[in-house]
């Protein structure tokens, strides 16, 4: 079936089935025909094929008189920008991160826009301005989506800011410096995007397939390109949305409050031998291995299930094409349930099985590793496997490595899980380059050459865009210059420890990368990230300086990443014919506003929990002793700020210790560097097999997707089965046996589940989580385990449960007066 036939079979929202991955697959198949000699790319036939793909969802018409940047866009764009920025910042602190998709804003903005068009006055003011220019239109809706998208993409700089201010206790890091750091790291990409728009936006060869599904959704809502009816499905999409959102909102109270066991049903722990209740009597090898494999909280989540959409939905099982989901999960099962266990039990990196076995950190000690082992953690350990708080390695005054302390602890170690995650990241970087080169290289080169020739001979969409005043290059240059100056000032003197030349180096790294990587993404839909390479580079140049490395990583990686997001939005505007200056305004204002909201919400979350005066929580000798942030050392279940801890520990590895020492010769982890070679070789195998057997399924084997291994270390790994189950049910069985229902409601259901879950999480957080005294403490141990999954020793579950819930509802619990539990010293810092 051709893409046009695929789209013609759909109507309305059904066109959203033309997802980015499906479009990539269609393009890939077209490329196979080109390679087989069925189309001569130099004759321009492949441009016709691009037009065929675009014409399926993008009309070759435009009405320049349609208003774009209207009062409705300003109001609704600001509402959804701030809403998504605030909510998604809150969700960053969850153990399993969750986020609202901008498509939610698209769906909700539509009836609101229609309502405003009906009730707002149509009178015109001076200069022809009006609150209501008429019917709510396609271009307004697209700009609201862009504003919502700017808010939905939370600032990556938050990991840097929170890491320094709250996890490294840099109390002197000013709020003003943090806000400007977030803004410049998000806005650097604007200057880069604007300067390369002629190469990445204007040519027809630069497809950007991800935008087509967004246009298809907008088409459906505004009744363009509809070719069929809904048959017997009378319930409107909006009614279905609210019903589904209401149902999931009610249901989510069960995993969030009533039955907290539902997010992590650990089957293997239920059948495994019990762990010893006495640290003097070691648990059996079988018990440790089975519970290490089966625990989703502390281990690998083998045969564990989640009945919580906030866990299931993180993998986007409905909106991700089934073939891509299968690639991803097969790769995740291979890495998580085969490679990691083999590395762990065989001590592949030296002492993997010994890590986390110190009784002080175990179930009879602080409880940091309640299974008496460390697997699902991004924490650092000394050569004996004893947990080391990463910030204890950093001098608070100079933000540099404490060399004497490091020398006494080296070589530093990490869990087998975390080590395999780095191995996978090296494989992904190399395999993405090779995969794109093999499958798309020739076509990318041909299209790039054609794009260069086509710069002055515009395509039909570019000709229609010519009627609108373009954004002058000078605007982008000025924006880039302002960002550069502010970034130098903030990084050099604002507390981020990155010298001025480091800022320029980060910008140059993004500048030289954005066109080649952007070209690859525009053609193939795949982006090669700079995060690992940027850490590698600056870690070699500035070893021992954790803040500088984190700042450089954020600056260089986000300049390119955010720049390409903006280029994608510019291409969306190109297809929809949004005036460039309106798009520039919405993007810039939306990004700056969202960055400000991100920072203040993150600060509010950390500070709403307050500080604790327990000195035992704080590293001995730390000047911040006695005022540790409670969210860092005593987080509530489900809100462990897992990704922030991972970012800080990564900063300690790449920054404080440095890649030369941690991954270089003599290091236990030097073998992970073989990942680059594995990544370079692995994609060649399915490619050659496909050339030999073109009618097979080898073209569906995508090594970068398989190896990408969304490790999500520190999070609940009960998300490794149920998302695939949902994907198979919705995108195979329902799609096959009730195609009309699937076409009309599948994507709406996904957006509704996300929205209802987000509201439930937010309400529960504000009512119960922040106000811990109102936490519901049900006595039924089988539905509310103190360790989430019930894999810890019975002794620990009882005592930690008393510790967590003993003071609720006016009760007072003193663990030192509990004869059964008095020997335990709960309160270890999150690893």
């Amino acid at each position: 079936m051709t893409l046009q036939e695929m789209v013609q079979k759909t109507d309305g929202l059904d066109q959203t089935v033309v997802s980015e991955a499906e479009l990539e697959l269609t393009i890939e198949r077209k490329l196979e025909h080109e390679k087989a000699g069925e189309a001569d790319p130099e004759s321009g036939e492949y441009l016709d094929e691009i037009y065929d793909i675009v014409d399926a969802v993008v009309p070759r018409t435009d009405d320049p008189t349609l208003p774009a940047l209207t009062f409705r866009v300003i109001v609704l764009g600001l509402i959804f920008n701030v809403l998504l920025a605030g909510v998604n910042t809150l969700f960053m602190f969850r153990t399993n991160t969750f986020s609202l998709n901008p498509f939610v804003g698209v769906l909700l903005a539509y009836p609101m826009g229609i309502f405003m068009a009906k009730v707002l006055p149509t009178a015109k003011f001076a200069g022809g301005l009006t609150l209501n220019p008429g019917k709510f239109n396609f271009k307004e809706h697209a700009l609201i989506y862009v504003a919502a998208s700017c808010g939905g993409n939370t600032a990556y700089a938050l990991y840097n800011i929170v890491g320094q201010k709250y996890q490294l206790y840099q109390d002197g890091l000013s709020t003003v410096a943090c806000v400007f750091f977030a803004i410049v790291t998000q806005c650097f990409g604007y200057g880069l995007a604007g300067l390369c728009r002629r190469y990445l936006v204007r040519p027809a060869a630069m497809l950007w397939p991800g935008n087509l599904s967004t246009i298809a959704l907008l088409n459906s809502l505004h009744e363009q390109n509809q070719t069929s009816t809904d048959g017997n499905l009378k319930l409107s999409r909006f009614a279905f949305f609210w019903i589904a959102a209401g149902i999931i909102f009610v249901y989510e109270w069960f995993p969030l409050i009533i039955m907290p066991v539902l997010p992590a049903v650990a089957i293997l722990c239920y059948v495994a031998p019990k762990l010893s209740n006495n640290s003097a009597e070691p648990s059996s090898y079988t018990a440790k291995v089975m519970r290490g494999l089966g625990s989703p909280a502390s281990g690998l989540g083998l045969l564990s299930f989640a009945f919580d959409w906030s866990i299931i939905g993180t993998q986007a099982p409905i909106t991700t094409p089934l073939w891509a989901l299968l690639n991803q999960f097969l790769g995740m099962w291979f890495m998580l349930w085969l490679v990691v266990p083999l590395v762990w039990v065989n001590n592949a990196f030296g002492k993997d099985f010994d890590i986390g076995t110190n009784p002080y950190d175990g179930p009879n000690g602080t409880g940091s590793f309640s299974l008496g082992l460390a697997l699902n953690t991004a924490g650092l350990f000394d050569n004996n496997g004893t947990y080391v708080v990463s910030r204890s390695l950093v001098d608070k005054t100079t933000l540099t490595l404490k060399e004497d302390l490091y020398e006494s602890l080296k070589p530093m170690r990490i869990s087998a899980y975390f080590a395999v995650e780095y191995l996978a990241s090296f494989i992904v970087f190399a395999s993405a380059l090779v995969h794109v080169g093999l499958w798309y290289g020739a076509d990318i080169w041909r299209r790039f050459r054609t794009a260069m020739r086509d710069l002055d001979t515009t395509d039909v969409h570019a000709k229609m865009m010519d009627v609108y005043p373009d954004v002058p290059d000078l605007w982008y240059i000025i924006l880039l210059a302002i960002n550069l100056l502010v970034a130098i000032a903030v990084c050099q003197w604002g507390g981020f420890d990155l010298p001025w030349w480091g800022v320029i180096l980060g910008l140059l790294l993004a500048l030289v990368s954005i066109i080649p990587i952007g070209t690859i993404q525009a053609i193939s839909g795949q982006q090669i990230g700079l995060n690992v390479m940027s850490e590698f580079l600056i870690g070699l140049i500035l070893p021992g300086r954790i803040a500088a490395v984190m700042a450089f990583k954020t600056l260089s990686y986000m300049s390119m990443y955010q720049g390409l997001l903006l280029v994608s939005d510019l291409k969306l505007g190109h297809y929809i014919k949004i005036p460039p200056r309106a798009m520039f305004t919405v993007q810039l204002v939306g990004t700056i506003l969202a960055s400000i909201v991100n920072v203040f919400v993150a600060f509010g979350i950390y500070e709403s929990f307050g500080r604790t005066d327990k000195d035992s929580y704080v590293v001995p000798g730390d000047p911040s002793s006695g005022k540790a942030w409670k969210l860092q050392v005593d987080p509530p279940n489900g809100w462990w700020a897992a990704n922030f801890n991972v970012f800080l520990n990564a900063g300690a590895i790449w920054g404080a210790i440095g890649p030369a020492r941690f991954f270089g010769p003599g290091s236990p982890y030097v073998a992970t560097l073989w990942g680059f070679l594995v990544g370079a070789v692995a994609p060649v195998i399915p490619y050659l097999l496909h050339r030999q057997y073109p009618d097979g399924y080898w073209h569906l084997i995508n090594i970068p997707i398989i190896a990408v291994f969304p490790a999500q270390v520190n999070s609940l790994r009960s998300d490794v089965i149920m998302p695939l189950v949902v994907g198979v049910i919705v995108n195979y069985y329902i799609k096959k046996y009730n195609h009309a229902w699937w076409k009309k409601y599948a994507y709406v259901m996904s957006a509704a589940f996300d929205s209802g879950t987000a509201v439930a999480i937010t309400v529960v957080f504000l009512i119960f989580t922040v106000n811990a005294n109102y936490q519901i403490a049900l006595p039924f141990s089988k539905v509310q385990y103190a360790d989430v999954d019930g894999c810890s020793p019975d002794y620990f579950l009882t005592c930690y449960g008393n510790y967590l819930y003993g003071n609720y509802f006016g009760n007072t619990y003193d663990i030192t007066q509990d004869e059964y539990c008095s020997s335990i010293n709960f309160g270890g810092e999150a690893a």
Side-chain angles (χ1 to χ4, degrees):
M1 181 186 297
T2 66
L3 181 64
Q4 282 183 302
E5 291 170 342
M6 186 190 310
V7 176
Q8 287 169 357
K9 284 188 65 177
T10 66
D11 73 305
L13 187 63
D14 315 339
Q15 294 180 40
T16 59
V17 301
V18 186
S19 66
E20 179 175 349
E22 287 172 313
L23 287 165
E24 291 173 24
L25 183 57
T26 301
I27 297 168
E28 184 173 309
R29 287 171 176 164
K30 288 179 179 292
L31 297 182
E32 293 170 13
H33 291 306
E34 291 179 6
K35 293 171 185 175
E38 298 175 23
D40 178 9
E42 296 300 334
S43 70
E45 287 187 36
Y46 77 95
L47 273 180
D48 292 335
E49 294 175 355
I50 290 296
Y51 285 129
D52 287 343
I53 294 171
V54 174
D55 288 345
V57 289
V58 180
R60 292 195 178 196
T61 58
D62 180 38
D63 181 2
T65 65
L66 278 180
L69 188 55
T70 64
F71 175 75
R72 294 183 296 236
V73 169
I74 294 172
V75 173
L76 296 180
L78 290 177
I79 289 174
F80 288 108
N81 177 275
V82 172
L83 176 65
L84 265 70
V87 170
N88 284 353
T89 301
L90 170 66
F91 294 161
M92 289 176 73
F93 289 86
R94 281 180 53 82
T95 304
N96 286 65
T97 57
F98 185 79
S99 64
L100 269 181
N101 193 296
F103 281 136
V104 173
V106 173
L107 288 169
L108 297 182
Y110 184 65
M112 296 171 71
I114 292 175
F115 176 77
M116 294 178 74
K118 289 182 178 179
V119 302
L120 288 177
T122 58
K124 293 186 177 181
F125 304 102
L129 298 176
T130 178
L131 298 179
N132 189 352
K135 182 180 178 181
F136 182 61
N137 68 68
F138 191 79
K139 296 184 180 183
E140 291 178 288
H141 208 168
L143 281 176
I144 293 171
Y145 165 78
V146 171
S149 180
C150 291
N153 293 306
T154 49
Y156 190 76
L158 288 184
Y159 294 116
N160 207 136
I161 293 167
V162 169
Q164 282 194 233
K165 188 174 181 68
Y166 295 107
Q167 294 175 312
L168 292 177
Y169 293 88
Q170 293 291 298
D171 296 329
L173 193 64
S174 73
T175 301
V176 173
C178 293
V179 168
F180 276 108
F181 183 74
I183 291 174
V184 296
T185 54
Q186 292 293 95
C187 291
F188 244 134
Y190 276 99
L192 300 179
L195 294 179
C196 67
R197 70 192 187 282
R198 288 184 177 85
Y199 310 101
L200 297 178
V201 176
R202 193 170 177 86
M206 300 294 108
L207 179 61
W208 292 97
N211 283 321
L212 301 183
S213 58
T214 304
I215 297 171
L217 174 59
L218 293 171
N219 278 341
S220 73
L221 296 175
H222 292 267
E223 299 182 347
Q224 298 179 22
N225 293 341
Q226 301 222 21
T227 58
S228 64
T229 64
D230 293 331
N232 296 322
L233 300 173
K234 302 301 183 183
L235 188 66
S236 71
R237 296 183 183 94
F238 289 112
F240 182 90
F241 174 88
W242 289 111
I243 292 172
I247 291 173
I248 200 69
F249 170 80
V250 173
Y251 172 79
E252 279 299 313
W253 285 75
F254 284 87
L256 292 174
I257 287 292
I258 301 172
M259 298 179 66
V261 71
L262 290 176
V265 178
I267 301 298
L268 209 56
C269 288
Y270 300 161
V271 300
K274 289 184 176 293
L275 292 172
S276 172
N277 283 327
N278 188 341
S279 59
E281 300 176 5
S283 301
S284 71
Y285 179 84
T286 301
K288 290 186 64 174
V289 170
M290 289 186 67
R291 291 176 182 264
L293 295 176
S295 170
S298 303
L300 306 180
L302 180 62
L303 298 181
S304 64
F305 297 85
F307 299 94
D308 176 2
W309 187 257
S310 72
I311 305 293
I312 298 170
T314 57
Q315 306 289 351
I318 296 176
T319 56
T320 302
L322 188 57
W323 73 269
L325 204 65
L326 286 169
N327 268 281
Q328 177 183 328
F329 274 78
L330 287 174
M332 187 154 52
W333 291 345
F334 175 76
M335 299 295 285
L336 189 62
W337 292 347
L338 182 61
V339 176
V340 175
L342 289 175
V343 167
W344 177 49
V345 299
N346 290 292
N347 288 315
F349 296 115
K351 296 185 178 181
D352 302 293
F353 204 75
D354 297 331
I355 289 176
T357 58
N358 189 322
Y360 177 79
D361 300 317
N364 296 85
T366 64
S368 296
F369 305 108
S370 60
L371 299 185
L373 56 89
L375 255 180
N376 185 7
T377 176
L380 295 177
F381 301 83
D382 66 15
N383 191 40
N384 296 317
T386 300
Y387 175 57
V388 177
V389 178
S390 56
R391 62 186 173 86
S392 69
L393 298 171
V394 180
D395 185 279
K396 184 176 180 180
T397 304
T398 63
L399 291 178
T400 57
L401 179 68
K402 297 177 180 176
E403 293 286 350
D404 292 342
L405 178 60
Y406 172 75
E407 289 296 325
S408 68
L409 301 174
K410 73 174 188 180
M412 299 296 296
R413 296 184 178 275
I414 53 179
S415 69
Y417 186 170
F418 202 20
V420 171
E421 181 180 1
Y422 277 124
L423 170 67
S425 70
F426 300 153
I427 294 174
V428 168
F429 182 82
S431 64
L433 290 173
V434 175
H435 177 86
V436 170
L438 290 173
W439 291 96
Y440 303 102
D443 189 68
I444 287 172
W445 174 241
R446 288 193 296 265
R447 294 185 184 188
F448 183 74
R449 285 192 297 166
T450 301
M452 295 304 99
R453 294 196 302 267
D454 191 42
L455 290 177
D456 299 319
T457 58
T458 54
D459 75 329
V460 59
H461 298 288
K463 288 179 180 178
M464 286 187 279
M465 286 297 292
D466 286 340
V467 303
Y468 303 102
D470 197 6
V471 177
D473 287 342
L474 183 61
W475 290 17
Y476 290 109
I477 294 173
I478 291 174
L479 184 61
L480 193 61
I482 292 173
N483 273 283
L484 178 61
L485 292 175
V486 174
I488 289 175
V490 170
C491 292
Q492 177 86 54
W493 299 290
F496 292 94
D497 195 38
L498 184 64
W500 63 268
W501 56 263
V503 175
I504 296 175
L505 180 61
L507 178 60
L508 289 176
L509 181 61
L511 182 62
V512 300
S513 304
I514 191 167
I515 288 182
I517 292 179
T519 301
I520 291 170
Q521 186 175 353
I523 301 304
S524 69
Q526 298 186 34
Q527 183 184 114
I528 301 172
L530 288 179
N531 49 338
V532 173
M533 289 302 101
S534 62
E535 288 176 314
F536 235 128
L537 176 62
I538 198 64
L540 292 173
I541 297 174
L542 292 175
R545 295 172 62 173
I546 184 173
V549 169
M550 292 194 302
F552 182 88
K553 172 186 175 180
T554 300
L555 194 64
S556 59
Y557 171 54
M558 285 310 296
S559 293
M560 189 210 71
Y561 179 83
Q562 187 74 3
L564 292 180
L565 281 179
L566 302 173
V567 168
S568 179
D569 281 346
L570 289 176
K571 190 67 176 186
L572 176 69
H574 185 86
Y575 284 143
I576 298 178
K577 317 303 179 299
I578 295 177
R581 296 187 180 186
M583 177 65 78
F584 176 88
T585 302
V586 171
Q587 283 184 317
L588 186 59
V589 173
T591 300
I592 292 175
L593 179 61
S595 300
I596 296 172
V597 173
N598 291 158
V599 172
F600 280 100
V601 171
F603 285 4
I605 291 170
Y606 237 92
E607 298 190 12
S608 65
F609 286 93
R611 301 193 184 204
T612 178
D613 58 0
K614 292 186 178 180
D615 293 340
S616 61
Y617 283 170
V618 186
V619 176
D622 192 315
S624 61
S625 180
K627 55 176 184 176
W629 290 104
K630 292 183 70 174
L631 187 59
Q632 183 60 31
V633 300
D634 194 18
N637 282 340
W639 295 89
W640 300 339
N643 283 352
F644 290 91
N645 294 326
V646 173
F647 187 90
L648 180 67
N649 288 326
I653 290 170
W654 296 97
I657 300 172
R661 283 194 276 203
F662 203 89
F663 295 101
S667 163
Y669 304 103
V670 66
T672 60
L673 299 180
W674 285 101
F676 290 109
L677 180 61
V678 172
V681 174
V684 179
I685 299 172
Y687 176 77
L688 293 179
L689 289 171
H690 170 71
R691 297 298 295 266
Q692 184 69 30
Y693 307 103
D695 295 329
Y697 295 94
W698 295 107
H699 65 285
L700 297 178
I701 304 299
N702 189 308
I703 299 299
I705 293 179
I706 292 174
V708 74
F709 182 35
Q712 298 174 347
V713 63
N714 274 8
S715 64
L716 285 177
R717 291 328 316 250
S718 53
D719 60 346
V720 192
I721 295 178
M722 290 303 294
L724 185 59
V725 172
V726 171
V728 170
I729 291 173
V730 175
N731 290 326
Y732 179 74
Y733 286 102
I734 295 179
K735 182 179 180 181
K736 181 177 181 179
Y737 297 108
N738 196 345
H739 194 71
W741 190 97
W742 176 83
K743 287 194 302 181
K744 185 171 184 179
Y745 297 129
Y747 274 43
V748 179
M749 182 172 67
S750 178
F753 282 2
D754 287 351
S755 301
T757 299
V759 173
I761 292 172
T762 304
V763 171
V764 169
F765 176 83
L766 295 177
I767 295 178
F768 296 108
T769 307
V770 176
N771 299 292
N773 287 333
Y774 299 105
Q775 182 77 284
I776 296 177
L778 296 177
F780 310 108
S781 61
K782 297 303 180 184
V783 298
Q784 177 161 299
Y785 290 110
D787 68 344
V788 180
D789 56 22
C791 293
S792 301
D794 294 340
Y795 176 88
F796 176 84
L797 294 176
T798 299
C799 296
Y800 196 54
N802 293 338
Y803 173 77
L804 288 177
Y805 306 122
N807 292 316
Y808 292 161
F809 300 105
N811 296 324
T812 301
Y813 176 75
D814 185 352
I815 196 171
T816 62
Q817 302 302 312
D818 186 336
E819 295 183 3
Y820 186 60
C821 304
S822 59
S823 63
I824 298 181
N825 179 31
F826 291 126
E829 181 151 346

